[in-house]
Amino acid sequence: MNTITAVVMAGGKGERFWPKSRTKLPKQFLNISGNKSMLQQSIQRLEKLIPLEQIFIVTNDLYAELIKAQIPNLPQDNIIVEPIGRNTAPCVGLASIIIEEKFPNSSMIVLPSDHIIKNEEGFLQIVRTAVEVCEKHDSLVTLGINPTYPETGYGYIESNMDIFELNELSVEKVSRFVEKPNEYTAKKYIEAGNFYWNSGIFVWKVSVIRNHIQKLMPDMHDLLETMKHAFISNTRNEVIKSEFPKMPDISIDYGIMEKVNNIYVIPCIFGWDDVGSWTALERIDELDENGNVVRGNILNLDTKGCIIESNGKLIATLGVDDLIIVDTEDVTLICHKNKAQEIKSIIKELKIQKLEQYL
């Protein structure tokens, strides 16, 4: 088996977790579940598989120091700083040339920094199997989450049911990636039985993803080659700052995954949640007898199905249902749960009104 490396994407702002997730301290650096941040949990999970020296974190200038503080033993060169946000395809491309230089002929796990995974051993077994598949077949491999309800906030992966087994796990050929569906379509996907949630976790050989980038995204490939050649002259950071902003703003799904035939999906059940919005707390926290998630100093009367988090101040509720109430030092959010995915609209309005201090 080749050297295994990992690329953890940690540059997001976590805007749907506002007001707790803020520009200077976004979701991945917060203790959403447990006593460690989601980034720290992600790194500790990976360290059960590979040494810290083989783990790379892609972020931006705002968060490089936060990463150093939270993961102090991570080598400095393993923090890859993007000068500007350019979606996941450029993120993967930049990481691939840095890893190619340091660990030639390696395999690469790509994953977000802000997912919760409850069954870590199950997750690691699946990742090991995914590495085997990508090395044996020169393929791209993705982890598909077995859907438990008709979620409309995730993309889906359709399997063509061409299946083989490896390490007692099913490995299925991908037929297509599909965009976030409406509720009717999501129900049809679940009924069909061969659709999985797109976890955003990928595994491939560095050489294979580089070849796909060259064929399918030649302009981006040329920019990566320019950067890679500059590494020889020890001008890595300077050339990244000058060349990376020229990259296209495109996801790895759209740029590569949707256009390649040799892709496998491994169906997964390991207690996964992408913690995309406040309603995720209903899936990862214990509910009280009235279906509420309560964190902090809370007094509830005749309150049902609410998500309430206090920053110390007492929050008292009476006769309310299905609300999200989050209190921080300078902001209190109150919204209906069915608007949880629209919290970004508050962020947009704060920017319009030039209230940046609340971002």
Side-chain angles (χ1 to χ4, degrees):
M1 185 176 287
N2 293 338
T3 300
I4 303 173
T5 63
V7 175
V8 179
M9 298 179 288
K13 295 181 180 178
E15 290 180 336
R16 285 176 293 178
F17 241 84
W18 185 89
K20 188 169 182 179
S21 177
R22 309 292 273 267
T23 300
K24 293 183 179 178
L25 190 67
K27 179 178 65 171
Q28 61 269 29
F29 299 105
L30 299 175
N31 298 5
I32 301 294
S33 176
N35 57 7
K36 294 186 181 296
S37 75
M38 287 194 286
L39 174 65
Q40 289 171 321
Q41 291 178 34
S42 296
I43 299 303
Q44 287 183 351
R45 191 180 304 128
L46 287 168
E47 281 192 278
K48 295 178 181 178
L49 179 68
I50 57 177
L52 189 60
E53 291 73 22
Q54 291 160 220
I55 299 172
F56 295 77
I57 301 177
V58 184
T59 190
N60 57 57
D61 279 323
L62 278 175
Y63 308 140
E65 293 302 318
L66 278 172
I67 289 170
K68 291 177 188 177
Q70 291 203 355
I71 318 293
N73 295 325
L74 185 74
Q76 172 72 31
D77 286 347
N78 288 30
I79 301 175
I80 302 172
V81 178
E82 296 177 331
I84 189 170
R86 278 291 182 265
N87 217 315
T88 53
C91 169
V92 167
L94 178 59
S96 71
I97 60 172
I98 290 170
I99 290 172
E100 193 172 45
E101 179 189 36
K102 195 167 184 179
F103 298 105
N105 305 313
S106 60
S107 296
M108 175 176 163
I109 307 159
V110 179
L111 67 169
S113 60
D114 55 359
H115 289 183
I116 285 175
I117 293 172
K118 293 181 179 179
N119 180 359
E120 293 195 348
E121 283 307 312
F123 167 75
L124 295 173
Q125 180 193 5
I126 290 169
V127 169
R128 290 187 192 99
T129 301
V131 171
E132 283 190 53
V133 173
C134 81
E135 292 184 355
K136 288 180 180 178
H137 299 270
D138 279 348
S139 59
L140 308 181
V141 183
T142 183
L143 306 192
I145 308 300
N146 280 290
T148 52
Y149 60 94
E151 172 62 56
T152 58
Y154 301 151
Y156 284 70
I157 302 165
E158 181 182 8
S159 157
N160 68 6
M161 304 306 287
D162 179 6
I163 302 172
F164 66 89
E165 284 202 1
L166 183 64
N167 302 331
E168 300 182 350
L169 292 168
S170 291
V171 182
E172 305 181 7
K173 196 76 179 290
V174 170
S175 173
R176 62 181 176 130
F177 288 77
V178 292
E179 299 298 326
K180 298 173 183 177
N182 58 32
E183 188 173 0
Y184 173 81
T185 305
K187 287 178 180 177
K188 290 294 182 184
Y189 289 166
I190 290 180
E191 290 170 7
N194 63 323
F195 284 82
Y196 306 101
W197 290 336
N198 185 351
S199 69
I201 302 172
F202 306 108
V203 183
W204 43 56
K205 288 163 64 175
V206 174
S207 58
V208 170
I209 195 65
R210 292 275 284 128
N211 286 338
H212 284 308
I213 290 172
Q214 183 176 10
K215 292 174 184 176
L216 297 171
M217 305 183 71
D219 291 344
M220 192 173 91
H221 170 76
D222 291 345
L223 289 167
L224 291 171
E225 286 297 299
T226 298
M227 286 187 265
K228 186 178 177 183
H229 290 312
F231 293 171
I232 299 169
S233 60
N234 295 320
T235 57
R236 168 177 145 174
N237 293 335
E238 289 77 7
V239 75
I240 289 173
K241 285 180 181 177
S242 66
E243 298 300 313
F244 191 85
K246 302 174 187 176
M247 294 277 207
D249 187 350
I250 187 171
S251 70
I252 195 71
D253 297 69
Y254 186 76
I256 302 292
M257 305 300 285
E258 294 179 9
K259 300 172 182 176
V260 175
N261 292 323
N262 193 24
I263 304 180
Y264 292 95
V265 58
I266 302 179
C268 305
I269 301 175
F270 45 59
W272 173 89
D273 201 292
D274 77 337
V275 198
S277 69
W278 281 104
T279 54
L281 297 188
E282 294 179 316
R283 300 188 294 268
I284 61 179
D285 275 21
E286 288 189 15
L287 306 181
D288 70 12
E289 64 274 12
N290 292 311
N292 300 302
V293 175
V294 292
R295 294 181 168 192
N297 193 11
I298 313 294
L299 174 64
N300 287 338
L301 298 175
D302 190 21
T303 297
K304 298 176 182 177
C306 289
I307 298 166
I308 309 174
E309 178 163 326
S310 166
N311 189 45
K313 184 193 307 177
L314 174 67
I315 297 178
T317 61
L318 173 63
V320 296
D321 300 342
D322 299 325
L323 293 182
I324 298 169
I325 304 172
V326 180
D327 186 57
T328 69
E329 289 183 2
D330 58 345
V331 174
T332 301
L333 168 71
I334 303 171
C335 82
H336 198 278
K337 282 197 308 191
N338 64 17
K339 295 290 185 180
Q341 297 291 337
E342 300 176 37
I343 286 176
K344 283 186 176 183
S345 62
I346 297 177
I347 305 292
K348 183 178 179 181
E349 187 62 27
L350 289 172
K351 291 176 181 177
I352 290 171
Q353 297 194 25
K354 302 188 185 305
L355 297 170
E356 287 83 3
Q357 69 269 31
Y358 299 114
L359 298 175

